[in-house]
Amino acid sequence: KRDLREANYAPEDVLVITRNLDDYSTSLAEVFKRYGIPYHLDRELRLSETSVGRLVLLLLRVVMEDFPLAGLASLLRSSFLDPERLVPGASEVVRSFQDVAIEAGIVGGRANYAPRLAGLAQRLERRLEDASKGTDDEDSGYLDRDQIEARLALVRRTRELTASTLE
């Protein structure tokens, strides 16, 4: 880049030729971006080479594979989705979705979300009762009453959002 500037070459005056552009296009694009060199690759992009394309392919894969946890969590973390604009209050659920789903024992399959989240809510409700009585001895670690209430509220909100979006 420095040599081009010192020689007073404009970026449009430079041409990079390869035998097969497909072999080098990804590397060239990365290098040009890294060094702030404007460029144009004269080729068609595959859908999977664009951010929006990858999102569309992920969405299709998630639906076709019946909403596996990993795929759905990736979809929810996409920078293209603004959960707060879609559903007010959804940001916290999206941020903690994978942790809640793992805690609930969800591996995948749309039909598994509701019963597993309901089971987790019931376990938390029992822990909340035990904490109120001072008998909470859950093996998963000590949570005080406020923490259990907050976790239960999050699980309930996750149940509501998954029910409304997956059914």
Side-chain angles (χ1 to χ4, degrees):
K1 182 177 174 181
R2 182 180 19 169
D3 292 340
L4 293 175
R5 277 195 313 239
E6 289 173 1
N8 289 323
Y9 286 110
E12 59 269 14
D13 294 335
V14 177
L15 180 64
V16 177
I17 299 174
T18 67
R19 184 175 293 243
N20 183 350
L21 185 57
D22 287 339
D23 292 342
Y24 298 97
S25 61
T26 302
S27 297
L28 286 170
E30 288 173 5
V31 169
F32 289 156
K33 284 180 185 175
R34 183 180 318 133
Y35 292 102
I37 300 170
Y39 68 96
H40 169 75
L41 294 174
D42 193 18
R43 70 177 187 98
E44 293 180 15
L45 289 175
R46 292 184 191 104
L47 187 59
S48 62
E49 295 176 310
T50 67
S51 299
V52 173
R54 283 190 295 274
L55 176 66
V56 169
L57 293 172
L58 175 60
L59 177 61
L60 291 172
R61 190 173 73 242
V62 164
V63 171
M64 288 173 51
E65 293 175 1
D66 196 31
F67 299 86
L69 175 58
L72 186 55
S74 293
L75 186 61
L76 291 172
R77 286 191 306 265
S78 167
S79 60
F80 288 100
L81 297 179
D82 182 358
E84 215 42 53
R85 285 185 61 204
L86 297 172
V87 179
S91 291
E92 183 183 5
V93 171
V94 168
R95 277 193 307 275
S96 59
F97 174 76
Q98 192 165 8
D99 292 337
V100 169
I102 289 170
E103 185 178 352
I106 297 170
V107 243
R110 181 171 43 183
N112 290 317
Y113 286 87
R116 296 290 183 152
L117 288 168
L120 176 57
Q122 289 172 351
R123 288 191 304 275
L124 289 169
E125 287 166 355
R126 281 193 302 273
R127 286 191 69 190
L128 188 56
E129 287 175 20
D130 291 345
S132 296
K133 298 175 190 173
T135 59
D136 184 26
D137 60 351
E138 185 82 19
D139 290 336
S140 63
Y142 179 78
L143 294 177
D144 66 30
R145 183 175 168 69
D146 292 340
Q147 291 170 317
I148 296 170
E149 285 177 347
R151 191 69 174 170
L152 181 56
L154 179 62
V155 169
R156 286 177 175 156
R157 185 74 175 130
T158 303
R159 281 179 66 193
E160 292 168 11
L161 286 175
T162 56
S164 65
T165 56
L166 296 181
E167 292 179 9

